[in-house]
Amino acid sequence: MGWDALALVEAADDRPLIERRAVARDGFYELQARTVIERVPQTAGIAQRWAVSPYRGCAHACRGCGARAGHRRLGLDAGGDFDTRIVVKPNVVERLRAELARWDGQELAVGVSGDCYQVAEETYRLMPGVIGALSGAGVPFTVYTKSALVLRDAEALAAAGARVAVSIAFVDERIRRAVEPGAPGAQARLELVSALVEAGVECRVLMAPVLPLLSDAADQLAATVRRIAAAGARAVEPVVLRLPPGTREWYLAWLEQAHPRLVERYAELYDRAGLPSQGYEGRITGQIAQLCRVYGMGCGAPVVEPREPRAAQLALV
């Protein structure tokens, strides 16, 4: 009788980490998160130091997105995988409630690792629970998004006193199609600002990322700020493009193909951490601040004082 030898050692699994730990469902990776409040990278350029993101990766496929490096830790690449292989945290609300019980009241950003109202939210509907958890704990928060799906939760956001920061970096559709191919157009986002304001939600515009030598001309900045003001936004937060590892390689590969003459200039503008030179950034944000004054809007990140958390804090010892 012939016998087939049984392997004594399990064959090595060379699949990406995410494919070994997550459940693949309907084109998404469902991964149970151990923690959901994460530190915001210093290169992000936003005011908040901590964030919660129901999704990692983003179908908007913005070439300059600073969150791309997170996919590398999952065994995926920071380019096409970030755009198409979206990681979902189905237990985000449960974990968030547990972590807020120990939170000190600092403001949180929502949607930094991936737009919290991208297409995945239509399937998973995680944001109503996230809003409820943050509101119930009395924690101030700002939602960052490009998507009109946020209007579904406008009433809850207004009741929670939340801010919504809609990202509108420029109003030139040719640029948008090249660097934000999966995102709504500028006009749709401007209309979103108006709709949020009408719904009673405090709405700001994250004018980010301003692209050096592509969207930073004086007339381009003026046109963008003028249309943001006309949409009813209360303030603008300008952020010049950051190029941290992961984002740098993806963005510069595109730049080399689309605008090869600019590559050398970018090398001069950016340091190793991916931050633009202070002189350049100061000049651009100064121009935007002046335009905001002309149109009666605030400019820069809001100052938010931490609130006393409503949930009882747990003893540490």
Side-chain angles (χ1 to χ4, degrees):
M1 172 180 261
W3 295 87
D4 290 329
L6 298 178
L8 298 180
V9 179
E10 185 178 350
D13 190 340
D14 59 357
R15 292 177 300 163
L17 178 64
I18 188 65
E19 293 187 0
R20 287 179 271 133
R21 293 188 177 179
V23 175
R25 196 188 313 275
D26 298 328
F28 301 108
Y29 290 112
E30 296 180 2
L31 182 65
Q32 299 297 316
R34 295 179 180 178
T35 60
V36 295
I37 297 180
E38 303 173 320
R39 187 179 294 276
V40 176
Q42 292 183 346
T43 55
I46 61 175
Q48 299 79 17
R49 299 274 62 86
W50 298 91
V52 55
S53 300
Y55 309 103
R56 185 178 294 280
C58 189
H60 290 159
C62 300
R63 297 185 186 277
C65 179
R68 289 183 173 275
H71 258 45
R72 289 177 168 177
R73 294 190 291 273
L74 302 174
L76 302 173
D77 71 57
D81 284 350
F82 181 87
D83 302 339
T84 60
R85 304 174 83 170
I86 310 302
V87 179
V88 181
K89 304 173 186 176
N91 65 331
V92 63
V93 177
E94 174 189 349
R95 288 303 313 151
L96 180 59
R97 291 187 187 279
E99 292 171 34
L100 288 176
R102 302 174 176 85
W103 195 242
D104 62 4
Q106 291 185 68
E107 183 184 11
L108 293 176
V110 182
V112 173
S113 296
D115 195 314
C116 50
Y117 284 102
Q118 61 179 295
V119 173
E121 174 63 12
E122 296 178 3
T123 299
Y124 288 92
R125 295 184 62 88
L126 297 174
M127 279 302 295
V130 169
I131 294 168
L134 292 167
S135 177
V139 174
F141 63 101
T142 296
V143 172
Y144 290 88
T145 187
K146 294 180 174 74
S147 173
L149 183 58
V150 67
L151 290 172
R152 181 199 65 193
D153 298 332
E155 184 176 349
L157 290 164
R163 290 187 177 92
V164 174
V166 178
S167 175
I168 306 173
F170 35 76
V171 293
D172 187 324
E173 273 298 289
R174 293 172 301 174
I175 298 176
R176 198 277 308 166
R177 286 192 294 269
V179 300
E180 299 178 345
Q187 181 59 35
R189 284 182 253 172
L190 290 164
E191 292 171 3
L192 171 59
V193 170
S194 298
L196 286 166
V197 171
E198 186 175 351
V201 178
E202 182 178 343
C203 185
R204 305 169 67 86
V205 166
L206 185 71
M207 194 169 165
V210 177
L211 305 175
L213 310 176
L214 293 173
S215 70
D216 62 352
D219 59 340
Q220 291 173 304
L221 299 178
T224 302
V225 173
R226 181 178 67 251
R227 292 181 64 181
I228 290 170
R234 293 184 59 179
V236 167
E237 297 177 43
V239 180
V240 173
L241 175 70
R242 267 67 173 153
L243 292 176
T247 304
R248 179 193 295 266
E249 295 84 351
W250 187 243
Y251 182 86
L252 291 182
W254 167 78
L255 192 71
E256 175 70 44
Q257 182 179 25
H259 303 282
R261 295 182 180 179
L262 300 183
V263 173
E264 184 176 351
R265 180 61 178 134
Y266 268 72
E268 297 170 352
L269 275 176
Y270 284 87
D271 63 18
R272 292 183 178 181
L275 294 175
S277 72
Q278 292 183 358
Y280 171 79
E281 184 171 35
R283 177 170 63 82
I284 296 301
T285 56
Q287 287 180 256
I288 294 172
Q290 183 176 4
L291 288 164
C292 286
R293 287 192 291 271
V294 170
Y295 290 103
M297 291 188 294
C299 185
V303 177
V304 178
E305 297 295 333
R307 302 176 188 169
E308 287 295 325
R310 292 176 188 162
Q313 294 215 356
L314 301 183
L316 297 179
V317 294

